[in-house]
Amino acid sequence: MADAERDAYLSGLTPGARIDHRGTPFTHPLLDALLNALRDPASGHPRVGSARFEWATFHDDAHFESTTFEGNARFEAVTFHRGAWFRSARFRLVTGFNSAVFHGVASFEAATFERDAWFSAATFHRDADFGSATFMHGAGYGSAVFHDLAWFRSASFQGVTLFDSASFHGDAWLREATFQHGASFEAADFHSATRFESANFQRDASFESAVFRHTITLGPFVCAGRVQLSQAEFSSPATLLLAAHRLECRRTRWSSTAELRLRYAEVNLSHAVFEYPLTVAAELVPFTRALEEQALAAHPDTPDSGVRLATLRGVDAAHLVLADIDLSSCLFTGTVHLDQLRLEGNCVFGTVPPAVHWRGWRPIRFTRRRTLAEEHHWRASQPGAAPGWNAGVASAGHLGPLHLAPVYRALRKAFEDGKHEPGAADFYYGEMEMRRHAADIPRSERSLLTAYWALSGYGMRASRALAWLGAAMLVTIVLLMGSGLPQETPKQEAAGTVPADGGKVTFEIDKEDPQNPTGNRFTGERFERALNVTLNSVVFRSSGQDLTTAGTYIEMTARLAEPVLLGLAALAVRSRIKR
């Protein structure tokens, strides 16, 4: 336009007017003249109705500070060759910067977007500053490219926020940002440092398929919903500090060392890949102000701030360290190198049902031990199962003793390597239980294992072995008093001939055979003698007392069986106190 025509156009504008400058090349004087024509005398700041700047080009710094856009603001495919300043601007309707190119600094600090704000496929060649900005509805940065610092510190996202496929080549700072609805960073690519300290996600936060190429500290932040890291890739050392209801890490790849310090979360690590050591630990104290964790504490599925592991299926556990994790519902079947898993601190497993249960006329009592969630599911599915076994284990599948015995064996090895013998004893007991119930063992072996279980709990239950020992001793005493001890102690007799003319006298000493008892056999004297024989039999010694033929066989049987029971009791005690 000629100068006169342009001046006439600008003089005809009033605050709140609709403007359409699609494809217009702007210099600094021209933009100033346009905004001055729209300046509201009451506030001293420009006020625009609907604004269309698609494909416009700003050759100099574009200053829109404190400008109010009362209608839709359309900046699609716009090019800013130098700085773009929207500090404290207010956008009342939909704002679009899709495919915009910012060659200089882009500042939206303290800007307010009252409706949706779209920056999809926008390119920021210099710093992008959205610090303290407020997005009252949705915000979309899908496929946006940030070549330098992306600054969202203290920004407030009150609607759904999308950063899907965004690429951050410089540092990404989202410290103290608040996401009141879902936030999605799916397939985002982080090339440099990423900061989420004190961020607050009040719904789900998704980083699915995101790529973190630089050392990252993700958190500490609070997410009232689910944090999705499935199929994400961490190429450099990573530290995740977060309090969330659930953390999904299915098929996530860690190509360097990583540490996950969590609160309240239920973690899914199925088919995740750890090329270097990965530590998953429960944080005992809040990361941030306890007030921000109230939504998590009030959730019915999070009874405390502990961390629960849901599954390790498909994981190679050779580099995995778990510290203070609740494993009572964790699925271990399908885990590779489970024997190399390191357990630190107080890692809790499931337990057997408490108290005594009745199966018909027979009382059933389970000795307390650590158990797997899969065993709970299997036992609960058996006919006549005792109450207390948890049948609601998600995704446990149709697993039986044949599948669970190797899992118990591997965990026993892990506990033994950690010098935790009592824990190893529990998993040895579980392994033997699965072997006894497995369908592929011969009947003779099952009978042998059943006897081993009944007599001493596979050498792990000292009380059971001692009870059988006491019963065996009592039976031995009763049998000895009844038929094993003779009526009287046989007396020795000496017989010989004295030569008439004197000389050497020869005597033959003989003892009469013990006589079977008659009359009252259960007397205090006979009890004392029977107890002496029995106690010597327990320590594999002969009492040296005279016994009847039946008593001899009773003593031989006792000397064979009772030392075995005593040894099983000693073995069980040692398994509990050994370190």
Side-chain angles (χ1 to χ4, degrees):
M1 299 179 69
D3 292 344
E5 294 176 337
R6 184 171 58 248
D7 292 342
Y9 163 71
L10 294 175
S11 62
L13 295 177
T14 59
R18 300 173 58 184
I19 56 175
D20 184 349
H21 291 284
R22 285 175 286 182
T24 301
F26 280 93
T27 60
H28 180 68
L30 179 59
L31 180 60
D32 279 352
L34 175 64
L35 295 179
N36 286 331
L38 298 169
R39 195 174 302 276
D40 189 343
S43 63
H45 301 300
R47 179 165 58 88
V48 185
S50 63
R52 304 198 64 171
F53 287 92
E54 297 99 317
W55 308 289
T57 303
F58 295 85
H59 295 280
D60 300 319
D61 287 344
H63 290 274
F64 288 89
E65 292 97 332
S66 301
T67 299
T68 300
F69 295 86
E70 296 182 338
N72 295 332
R74 308 291 298 275
F75 287 83
E76 285 88 346
V78 70
T79 300
F80 296 91
H81 285 284
R82 302 189 65 177
W85 306 93
F86 290 83
R87 187 181 294 118
S88 299
R90 178 175 290 272
F91 301 86
R92 297 191 183 277
L93 292 180
V94 175
T95 305
F97 284 86
N98 299 332
S99 302
V101 179
F102 299 84
H103 289 279
V105 173
S107 177
F108 291 84
E109 183 180 358
T112 301
F113 300 86
E114 298 185 7
R115 297 298 296 269
D116 294 343
W118 299 102
F119 292 82
S120 301
T123 302
F124 300 85
H125 288 277
R126 297 283 301 276
D127 294 352
D129 184 1
F130 291 85
S132 300
T134 301
F135 299 84
M136 296 185 177
H137 278 254
Y141 290 84
S143 301
V145 180
F146 299 85
H147 288 278
D148 212 324
L149 175 65
W151 181 269
F152 290 87
R153 181 168 184 173
S154 300
S156 177
F157 298 89
Q158 300 176 15
V160 176
T161 307
L162 303 176
F163 284 86
D164 298 347
S165 301
S167 180
F168 298 85
H169 293 272
D171 294 351
W173 291 74
L174 290 95
R175 298 180 60 179
E176 301 177 10
T178 301
F179 300 85
Q180 296 187 10
H181 283 70
S184 177
F185 292 81
E186 295 182 6
D189 194 347
F190 297 88
H191 291 261
S192 191
T194 307
R195 300 285 182 178
F196 283 85
E197 289 93 333
S198 300
N200 190 344
F201 298 86
Q202 299 183 14
R203 295 286 183 89
D204 295 346
S206 177
F207 296 86
E208 186 171 356
S209 301
V211 178
F212 300 89
R213 303 180 186 275
H214 194 272
T215 301
I216 178 178
T217 300
L218 195 61
F221 65 79
V222 176
C223 179
R226 178 180 60 178
V227 177
Q228 179 67 265
L229 287 174
S230 297
Q231 302 185 56
E233 182 175 345
F234 295 84
S235 302
S236 298
T239 302
L240 277 66
L241 310 170
L242 58 96
H245 171 56
R246 186 173 178 86
L247 175 62
E248 295 282 351
C249 297
R250 295 191 303 271
R251 302 187 185 278
T252 305
R253 176 179 290 274
W254 278 274
S255 301
S256 186
T257 56
E259 180 180 18
L260 279 65
R261 305 200 67 86
L262 312 171
R263 285 174 59 80
Y264 293 100
E266 180 179 345
V267 186
N268 185 342
L269 291 175
S270 62
H271 301 283
V273 178
F274 319 126
E275 298 181 13
Y276 288 86
L278 173 76
T279 300
V280 181
E283 188 70 16
L284 302 180
V285 298
F287 297 115
T288 57
R289 296 183 299 275
L291 182 64
E292 297 178 357
E293 296 185 356
Q294 285 185 349
L296 290 171
H299 199 285
D301 294 335
T302 52
D304 53 44
S305 61
V307 178
R308 301 162 302 284
L309 188 58
T311 179
L312 283 177
R313 285 185 171 178
V315 169
D316 187 339
H319 297 296
L320 182 60
V321 180
L322 303 178
D324 300 315
I325 303 298
D326 184 351
L327 302 172
S328 59
S329 299
C330 182
L331 303 179
F332 287 96
T333 51
T335 306
V336 181
H337 293 143
L338 190 56
D339 59 321
Q340 300 180 35
L341 174 68
R342 286 184 55 191
L343 301 173
E344 306 288 347
N346 182 26
C347 289
V348 180
F349 285 83
T351 59
V352 297
V356 177
H357 306 277
W358 292 87
R359 182 178 294 167
W361 57 271
R362 291 184 301 148
I364 299 175
R365 178 181 177 273
F366 298 97
T367 307
R368 185 175 180 84
R369 63 180 174 91
R370 296 171 176 86
T371 58
L372 299 180
E374 291 95 332
E375 182 182 352
H376 271 261
H377 180 77
W378 171 72
R379 288 191 181 272
S381 64
Q382 300 304 299
W389 295 106
N390 182 15
V393 179
S395 304
H398 299 288
L399 300 174
L402 195 62
H403 304 89
L404 299 183
V407 179
Y408 272 111
R409 187 180 307 119
L411 286 173
R412 172 176 62 86
K413 178 66 164 53
F415 272 80
E416 288 175 346
D417 292 344
K419 307 301 181 184
H420 193 328
E421 293 298 331
D426 283 350
F427 286 102
Y428 173 74
Y429 191 101
E431 176 191 352
M432 298 300 289
E433 276 286 272
M434 296 302 103
R435 286 181 56 191
R436 182 167 70 93
H437 290 286
D440 67 332
I441 65 171
R443 181 175 300 179
S444 58
E445 182 179 346
R446 190 190 308 277
S447 300
L448 182 62
L449 289 175
T450 301
Y452 191 22
W453 163 77
L455 291 175
S456 64
Y458 310 111
M460 297 289 110
R461 300 293 181 258
S463 59
R464 192 178 304 178
L466 291 175
W468 279 107
L469 176 60
M473 293 174 64
L474 180 60
V475 171
T476 302
I477 291 173
V478 172
L479 292 177
L480 287 174
M481 292 177 65
S483 60
L485 296 176
Q487 180 69 24
E488 294 180 356
T489 302
K491 298 179 181 179
Q492 293 183 341
E493 295 180 354
T497 304
V498 180
D501 57 352
K504 183 178 180 181
V505 179
T506 301
F507 291 94
E508 292 182 0
I509 301 176
D510 196 6
K511 181 187 291 187
E512 62 181 6
D513 293 334
Q515 300 298 316
N516 290 327
T518 59
N520 186 12
R521 306 178 186 185
F522 297 96
T523 64
E525 179 185 357
R526 291 176 65 82
F527 172 77
E528 184 178 352
R529 292 170 59 193
L531 179 62
N532 184 24
V533 174
T534 303
L535 291 177
N536 279 282
S537 299
V538 171
V539 294
F540 207 71
R541 290 177 55 188
S542 175
S543 64
Q545 294 197 37
D546 294 305
L547 301 173
T548 64
T549 301
T552 301
Y553 285 106
I554 293 172
E555 183 188 35
M556 291 171 58
T557 304
R559 289 179 63 189
L560 177 64
E562 292 169 3
V564 172
L565 293 172
L566 181 63
L568 290 174
L571 180 65
V573 172
R574 180 178 180 273
S575 68
R576 289 295 174 183
I577 64 176
K578 180 184 176 183
R579 286 292 185 271

